Amino acid sequence: MTTIQSILDRKGSGQAIAALTAYDYPTARLLDEAGVDILLVGDSLGMTVLGHPDTTQVRLEDILHHTRAVVRARPSALVVADLPIATYDNAKAAVVSAKELVKAGAQAVKLEGGQHCAAQIRAITQSGTPVMAHIGMLPQQIRKEGGYRKKGKTAEERSSLLTDAETVEVNGAFAVVLELIESSVAAEITRRLRIPTIGIGSGTNCDGQILVVHDLIGFFPWFRPKHAQPEADVAGEISKAVSAYIKKIRKAEEL
Ligand code: KIV
């Protein structure tokens, strides 16, 4: 059983933390049986499952629904659920939303932001729910940012990211996702923090890695981030199977 303590113990252990998103029962079961450490019910489901252009329309109800499905798989992996946009605007709201996710079966929650979310991270942690932080490129800010862009290229951004990382640790986060951060900056953060860093598009010098499962298995062919190297072509397999099925039933009709 993966616990918060076992994730913390992985820091510096030489065994990278393997994390993937999961949004439903069969995927959660398969990933868990394959040995993944963390299942994230990410708000990326807004795109990969619900067909929105980004994560800004995901509601707490969506994450609750998918968290319940993932938890039904009874995974050994740690289940972390995302707090969607506008559900943690202040410390009080953050605690209430986090409690809902825990009631649905999540063992920890994730939120996006460093220095701006210090109060929320502290309040959720103090209320008894472990928090995974998320800094760097923040998908919930995509409309303000105008696109996905690597962070940490300038001295100012580098210094702000280091402050973000130290802030989330000091306020109680048990791990931090580093998204689209210059690899040298991600490496520096990983060296400085006592909590594990989990990278996505931030180079290999992190304590673990996370990917959207659809990007790993080739299940969302309409958008593939640069950092994702698919290990399978599930979309292609589905097309092949469906074409074969259509051909077979139409041939049967002709007989
Ligand atoms: O929502 C999500 O899937 C995420 C990961 C990409 C880290 O936040």
PDB file of all heavy atoms in Angstrom, residues 174-199:
ATOM      1  N   PHE A 174       3.358  17.506   0.830  1.00  0.00           N
ATOM      2  CA  PHE A 174       4.186  16.286   0.969  1.00  0.00           C
ATOM      3  C   PHE A 174       4.945  15.967  -0.320  1.00  0.00           C
ATOM      4  O   PHE A 174       5.836  15.107  -0.321  1.00  0.00           O
ATOM      5  CB  PHE A 174       3.339  15.081   1.406  1.00  0.00           C
ATOM      6  CG  PHE A 174       2.462  14.509   0.315  1.00  0.00           C
ATOM      7  CD1 PHE A 174       2.906  13.462  -0.489  1.00  0.00           C
ATOM      8  CD2 PHE A 174       1.197  15.028   0.078  1.00  0.00           C
ATOM      9  CE1 PHE A 174       2.111  12.928  -1.496  1.00  0.00           C
ATOM     10  CE2 PHE A 174       0.389  14.511  -0.937  1.00  0.00           C
ATOM     11  CZ  PHE A 174       0.844  13.471  -1.719  1.00  0.00           C
ATOM     12  N   ALA A 175       4.581  16.649  -1.407  1.00  0.00           N
ATOM     13  CA  ALA A 175       5.262  16.456  -2.693  1.00  0.00           C
ATOM     14  C   ALA A 175       4.882  17.635  -3.572  1.00  0.00           C
ATOM     15  O   ALA A 175       3.923  18.363  -3.271  1.00  0.00           O
ATOM     16  CB  ALA A 175       4.823  15.143  -3.353  1.00  0.00           C
ATOM     17  N   VAL A 176       5.637  17.821  -4.641  1.00  0.00           N
ATOM     18  CA  VAL A 176       5.312  18.933  -5.538  1.00  0.00           C
ATOM     19  C   VAL A 176       5.527  18.520  -6.994  1.00  0.00           C
ATOM     20  O   VAL A 176       6.567  17.948  -7.331  1.00  0.00           O
ATOM     21  CB  VAL A 176       6.111  20.214  -5.165  1.00  0.00           C
ATOM     22  CG1 VAL A 176       7.612  19.992  -5.177  1.00  0.00           C
ATOM     23  CG2 VAL A 176       5.761  21.383  -6.096  1.00  0.00           C
ATOM     24  N   VAL A 177       4.500  18.785  -7.802  1.00  0.00           N
ATOM     25  CA  VAL A 177       4.622  18.553  -9.250  1.00  0.00           C
ATOM     26  C   VAL A 177       5.331  19.758  -9.860  1.00  0.00           C
ATOM     27  O   VAL A 177       4.995  20.904  -9.557  1.00  0.00           O
ATOM     28  CB  VAL A 177       3.215  18.379  -9.889  1.00  0.00           C
ATOM     29  CG1 VAL A 177       3.299  18.407 -11.411  1.00  0.00           C
ATOM     30  CG2 VAL A 177       2.573  17.079  -9.416  1.00  0.00           C
ATOM     31  N   LEU A 178       6.331  19.478 -10.689  1.00  0.00           N
ATOM     32  CA  LEU A 178       7.048  20.539 -11.406  1.00  0.00           C
ATOM     33  C   LEU A 178       6.675  20.410 -12.874  1.00  0.00           C
ATOM     34  O   LEU A 178       7.119  19.475 -13.544  1.00  0.00           O
ATOM     35  CB  LEU A 178       8.569  20.373 -11.243  1.00  0.00           C
ATOM     36  CG  LEU A 178       9.119  20.244  -9.812  1.00  0.00           C
ATOM     37  CD1 LEU A 178      10.643  20.115  -9.850  1.00  0.00           C
ATOM     38  CD2 LEU A 178       8.708  21.435  -8.947  1.00  0.00           C
ATOM     39  N   GLU A 179       5.832  21.315 -13.361  1.00  0.00           N
ATOM     40  CA  GLU A 179       5.367  21.182 -14.749  1.00  0.00           C
ATOM     41  C   GLU A 179       6.068  22.185 -15.661  1.00  0.00           C
ATOM     42  O   GLU A 179       6.065  23.400 -15.398  1.00  0.00           O
ATOM     43  CB  GLU A 179       3.840  21.374 -14.834  1.00  0.00           C
ATOM     44  CG  GLU A 179       3.347  21.284 -16.284  1.00  0.00           C
ATOM     45  CD  GLU A 179       1.897  20.904 -16.440  1.00  0.00           C
ATOM     46  OE1 GLU A 179       1.177  20.735 -15.441  1.00  0.00           O
ATOM     47  OE2 GLU A 179       1.474  20.769 -17.619  1.00  0.00           O
ATOM     48  N   LEU A 180       6.610  21.678 -16.746  1.00  0.00           N
ATOM     49  CA  LEU A 180       7.270  22.481 -17.786  1.00  0.00           C
ATOM     50  C   LEU A 180       8.228  23.515 -17.198  1.00  0.00           C
ATOM     51  O   LEU A 180       8.110  24.709 -17.449  1.00  0.00           O
ATOM     52  CB  LEU A 180       6.220  23.185 -18.657  1.00  0.00           C
ATOM     53  CG  LEU A 180       5.436  22.334 -19.645  1.00  0.00           C
ATOM     54  CD1 LEU A 180       4.562  23.204 -20.539  1.00  0.00           C
ATOM     55  CD2 LEU A 180       6.366  21.513 -20.532  1.00  0.00           C
ATOM     56  N   ILE A 181       9.165  23.013 -16.409  1.00  0.00           N
ATOM     57  CA  ILE A 181      10.187  23.868 -15.797  1.00  0.00           C
ATOM     58  C   ILE A 181      11.530  23.497 -16.422  1.00  0.00           C
ATOM     59  O   ILE A 181      11.819  22.302 -16.623  1.00  0.00           O
ATOM     60  CB  ILE A 181      10.214  23.667 -14.257  1.00  0.00           C
ATOM     61  CG1 ILE A 181       8.926  24.218 -13.633  1.00  0.00           C
ATOM     62  CG2 ILE A 181      11.441  24.326 -13.633  1.00  0.00           C
ATOM     63  CD1 ILE A 181       8.809  24.052 -12.126  1.00  0.00           C
ATOM     64  N   GLU A 182      12.344  24.499 -16.730  1.00  0.00           N
ATOM     65  CA  GLU A 182      13.691  24.258 -17.260  1.00  0.00           C
ATOM     66  C   GLU A 182      14.375  23.183 -16.429  1.00  0.00           C
ATOM     67  O   GLU A 182      14.350  23.253 -15.190  1.00  0.00           O
ATOM     68  CB  GLU A 182      14.516  25.551 -17.157  1.00  0.00           C
ATOM     69  CG  GLU A 182      14.332  26.502 -18.307  1.00  0.00           C
ATOM     70  CD  GLU A 182      14.847  25.927 -19.609  1.00  0.00           C
ATOM     71  OE1 GLU A 182      15.994  25.449 -19.642  1.00  0.00           O
ATOM     72  OE2 GLU A 182      14.075  25.939 -20.589  1.00  0.00           O
ATOM     73  N   SER A 183      15.001  22.216 -17.096  1.00  0.00           N
ATOM     74  CA  SER A 183      15.494  21.061 -16.343  1.00  0.00           C
ATOM     75  C   SER A 183      16.538  21.441 -15.293  1.00  0.00           C
ATOM     76  O   SER A 183      16.575  20.844 -14.215  1.00  0.00           O
ATOM     77  CB  SER A 183      16.021  19.980 -17.287  1.00  0.00           C
ATOM     78  OG  SER A 183      17.037  20.505 -18.062  1.00  0.00           O
ATOM     79  N   SER A 184      17.358  22.475 -15.569  1.00  0.00           N
ATOM     80  CA  SER A 184      18.378  22.843 -14.570  1.00  0.00           C
ATOM     81  C   SER A 184      17.701  23.417 -13.314  1.00  0.00           C
ATOM     82  O   SER A 184      18.163  23.201 -12.190  1.00  0.00           O
ATOM     83  CB  SER A 184      19.357  23.858 -15.155  1.00  0.00           C
ATOM     84  OG  SER A 184      18.653  25.014 -15.535  1.00  0.00           O
ATOM     85  N   VAL A 185      16.581  24.125 -13.509  1.00  0.00           N
ATOM     86  CA  VAL A 185      15.866  24.704 -12.363  1.00  0.00           C
ATOM     87  C   VAL A 185      15.141  23.590 -11.586  1.00  0.00           C
ATOM     88  O   VAL A 185      15.149  23.562 -10.353  1.00  0.00           O
ATOM     89  CB  VAL A 185      14.864  25.795 -12.835  1.00  0.00           C
ATOM     90  CG1 VAL A 185      14.146  26.422 -11.653  1.00  0.00           C
ATOM     91  CG2 VAL A 185      15.577  26.860 -13.654  1.00  0.00           C
ATOM     92  N   ALA A 186      14.544  22.646 -12.331  1.00  0.00           N
ATOM     93  CA  ALA A 186      13.878  21.507 -11.675  1.00  0.00           C
ATOM     94  C   ALA A 186      14.898  20.715 -10.851  1.00  0.00           C
ATOM     95  O   ALA A 186      14.605  20.269  -9.728  1.00  0.00           O
ATOM     96  CB  ALA A 186      13.214  20.622 -12.719  1.00  0.00           C
ATOM     97  N   ALA A 187      16.105  20.554 -11.401  1.00  0.00           N
ATOM     98  CA  ALA A 187      17.161  19.814 -10.678  1.00  0.00           C
ATOM     99  C   ALA A 187      17.546  20.557  -9.401  1.00  0.00           C
ATOM    100  O   ALA A 187      17.726  19.944  -8.338  1.00  0.00           O
ATOM    101  CB  ALA A 187      18.372  19.630 -11.585  1.00  0.00           C
ATOM    102  N   GLU A 188      17.644  21.860  -9.508  1.00  0.00           N
ATOM    103  CA  GLU A 188      18.004  22.683  -8.337  1.00  0.00           C
ATOM    104  C   GLU A 188      16.920  22.590  -7.249  1.00  0.00           C
ATOM    105  O   GLU A 188      17.211  22.424  -6.069  1.00  0.00           O
ATOM    106  CB  GLU A 188      18.180  24.139  -8.818  1.00  0.00           C
ATOM    107  CG  GLU A 188      18.341  25.190  -7.740  1.00  0.00           C
ATOM    108  CD  GLU A 188      19.764  25.296  -7.236  1.00  0.00           C
ATOM    109  OE1 GLU A 188      20.672  25.002  -8.032  1.00  0.00           O
ATOM    110  OE2 GLU A 188      19.949  25.655  -6.052  1.00  0.00           O
ATOM    111  N   ILE A 189      15.658  22.646  -7.691  1.00  0.00           N
ATOM    112  CA  ILE A 189      14.540  22.530  -6.724  1.00  0.00           C
ATOM    113  C   ILE A 189      14.611  21.157  -6.052  1.00  0.00           C
ATOM    114  O   ILE A 189      14.475  21.032  -4.835  1.00  0.00           O
ATOM    115  CB  ILE A 189      13.179  22.741  -7.443  1.00  0.00           C
ATOM    116  CG1 ILE A 189      13.037  24.192  -7.906  1.00  0.00           C
ATOM    117  CG2 ILE A 189      12.016  22.344  -6.544  1.00  0.00           C
ATOM    118  CD1 ILE A 189      11.824  24.479  -8.788  1.00  0.00           C
ATOM    119  N   THR A 190      14.850  20.137  -6.860  1.00  0.00           N
ATOM    120  CA  THR A 190      14.906  18.765  -6.323  1.00  0.00           C
ATOM    121  C   THR A 190      16.021  18.630  -5.286  1.00  0.00           C
ATOM    122  O   THR A 190      15.855  17.975  -4.259  1.00  0.00           O
ATOM    123  CB  THR A 190      15.098  17.771  -7.489  1.00  0.00           C
ATOM    124  OG1 THR A 190      14.005  17.943  -8.397  1.00  0.00           O
ATOM    125  CG2 THR A 190      15.137  16.327  -7.018  1.00  0.00           C
ATOM    126  N   ARG A 191      17.141  19.285  -5.538  1.00  0.00           N
ATOM    127  CA  ARG A 191      18.267  19.242  -4.579  1.00  0.00           C
ATOM    128  C   ARG A 191      17.909  19.969  -3.285  1.00  0.00           C
ATOM    129  O   ARG A 191      18.239  19.530  -2.201  1.00  0.00           O
ATOM    130  CB  ARG A 191      19.499  19.917  -5.197  1.00  0.00           C
ATOM    131  CG  ARG A 191      20.414  18.967  -5.944  1.00  0.00           C
ATOM    132  CD  ARG A 191      21.793  19.587  -6.191  1.00  0.00           C
ATOM    133  NE  ARG A 191      21.742  20.842  -6.932  1.00  0.00           N
ATOM    134  CZ  ARG A 191      21.653  20.940  -8.268  1.00  0.00           C
ATOM    135  NH1 ARG A 191      21.602  19.841  -9.004  1.00  0.00           N
ATOM    136  NH2 ARG A 191      21.620  22.114  -8.858  1.00  0.00           N
ATOM    137  N   ARG A 192      17.201  21.105  -3.435  1.00  0.00           N
ATOM    138  CA  ARG A 192      16.955  21.945  -2.253  1.00  0.00           C
ATOM    139  C   ARG A 192      15.854  21.425  -1.334  1.00  0.00           C
ATOM    140  O   ARG A 192      15.882  21.678  -0.131  1.00  0.00           O
ATOM    141  CB  ARG A 192      16.535  23.345  -2.711  1.00  0.00           C
ATOM    142  CG  ARG A 192      17.684  24.157  -3.209  1.00  0.00           C
ATOM    143  CD  ARG A 192      17.326  25.614  -3.090  1.00  0.00           C
ATOM    144  NE  ARG A 192      18.258  26.432  -3.848  1.00  0.00           N
ATOM    145  CZ  ARG A 192      18.213  27.741  -3.865  1.00  0.00           C
ATOM    146  NH1 ARG A 192      17.283  28.386  -3.199  1.00  0.00           N
ATOM    147  NH2 ARG A 192      19.093  28.422  -4.562  1.00  0.00           N
ATOM    148  N   LEU A 193      14.837  20.745  -1.918  1.00  0.00           N
ATOM    149  CA  LEU A 193      13.689  20.355  -1.093  1.00  0.00           C
ATOM    150  C   LEU A 193      13.901  19.030  -0.376  1.00  0.00           C
ATOM    151  O   LEU A 193      14.606  18.153  -0.878  1.00  0.00           O
ATOM    152  CB  LEU A 193      12.426  20.240  -1.955  1.00  0.00           C
ATOM    153  CG  LEU A 193      11.893  21.505  -2.626  1.00  0.00           C
ATOM    154  CD1 LEU A 193      10.491  21.260  -3.168  1.00  0.00           C
ATOM    155  CD2 LEU A 193      11.877  22.696  -1.689  1.00  0.00           C
ATOM    156  N   ARG A 194      13.218  18.883   0.765  1.00  0.00           N
ATOM    157  CA  ARG A 194      13.223  17.598   1.470  1.00  0.00           C
ATOM    158  C   ARG A 194      12.077  16.719   0.962  1.00  0.00           C
ATOM    159  O   ARG A 194      12.120  15.520   1.077  1.00  0.00           O
ATOM    160  CB  ARG A 194      13.083  17.827   2.984  1.00  0.00           C
ATOM    161  CG  ARG A 194      14.417  18.165   3.652  1.00  0.00           C
ATOM    162  CD  ARG A 194      14.219  18.602   5.093  1.00  0.00           C
ATOM    163  NE  ARG A 194      13.662  19.951   5.153  1.00  0.00           N
ATOM    164  CZ  ARG A 194      12.460  20.264   5.645  1.00  0.00           C
ATOM    165  NH1 ARG A 194      11.694  19.348   6.156  1.00  0.00           N
ATOM    166  NH2 ARG A 194      12.031  21.510   5.654  1.00  0.00           N
ATOM    167  N   ILE A 195      11.029  17.361   0.413  1.00  0.00           N
ATOM    168  CA  ILE A 195       9.900  16.579  -0.125  1.00  0.00           C
ATOM    169  C   ILE A 195      10.202  16.190  -1.574  1.00  0.00           C
ATOM    170  O   ILE A 195      10.982  16.874  -2.261  1.00  0.00           O
ATOM    171  CB  ILE A 195       8.556  17.362  -0.039  1.00  0.00           C
ATOM    172  CG1 ILE A 195       8.637  18.698  -0.810  1.00  0.00           C
ATOM    173  CG2 ILE A 195       8.154  17.569   1.400  1.00  0.00           C
ATOM    174  CD1 ILE A 195       7.303  19.408  -0.955  1.00  0.00           C
ATOM    175  N   PRO A 196       9.600  15.098  -2.048  1.00  0.00           N
ATOM    176  CA  PRO A 196       9.874  14.675  -3.428  1.00  0.00           C
ATOM    177  C   PRO A 196       9.284  15.622  -4.478  1.00  0.00           C
ATOM    178  O   PRO A 196       8.214  16.189  -4.275  1.00  0.00           O
ATOM    179  CB  PRO A 196       9.190  13.300  -3.532  1.00  0.00           C
ATOM    180  CG  PRO A 196       8.773  12.919  -2.174  1.00  0.00           C
ATOM    181  CD  PRO A 196       8.738  14.155  -1.327  1.00  0.00           C
ATOM    182  N   THR A 197      10.013  15.765  -5.570  1.00  0.00           N
ATOM    183  CA  THR A 197       9.521  16.511  -6.729  1.00  0.00           C
ATOM    184  C   THR A 197       9.082  15.494  -7.786  1.00  0.00           C
ATOM    185  O   THR A 197       9.718  14.458  -7.967  1.00  0.00           O
ATOM    186  CB  THR A 197      10.625  17.402  -7.314  1.00  0.00           C
ATOM    187  OG1 THR A 197      11.720  16.571  -7.722  1.00  0.00           O
ATOM    188  CG2 THR A 197      11.116  18.430  -6.313  1.00  0.00           C
ATOM    189  N   ILE A 198       7.988  15.804  -8.449  1.00  0.00           N
ATOM    190  CA  ILE A 198       7.454  14.898  -9.479  1.00  0.00           C
ATOM    191  C   ILE A 198       7.340  15.717 -10.758  1.00  0.00           C
ATOM    192  O   ILE A 198       6.547  16.663 -10.840  1.00  0.00           O
ATOM    193  CB  ILE A 198       6.092  14.323  -9.036  1.00  0.00           C
ATOM    194  CG1 ILE A 198       6.279  13.602  -7.681  1.00  0.00           C
ATOM    195  CG2 ILE A 198       5.554  13.357 -10.085  1.00  0.00           C
ATOM    196  CD1 ILE A 198       5.040  12.989  -7.108  1.00  0.00           C
ATOM    197  N   GLY A 199       8.172  15.395 -11.726  1.00  0.00           N
ATOM    198  CA  GLY A 199       8.287  16.236 -12.915  1.00  0.00           C
ATOM    199  C   GLY A 199       7.357  15.832 -14.045  1.00  0.00           C
ATOM    200  O   GLY A 199       6.976  14.665 -14.188  1.00  0.00           O
TER     201      GLY A 199
END
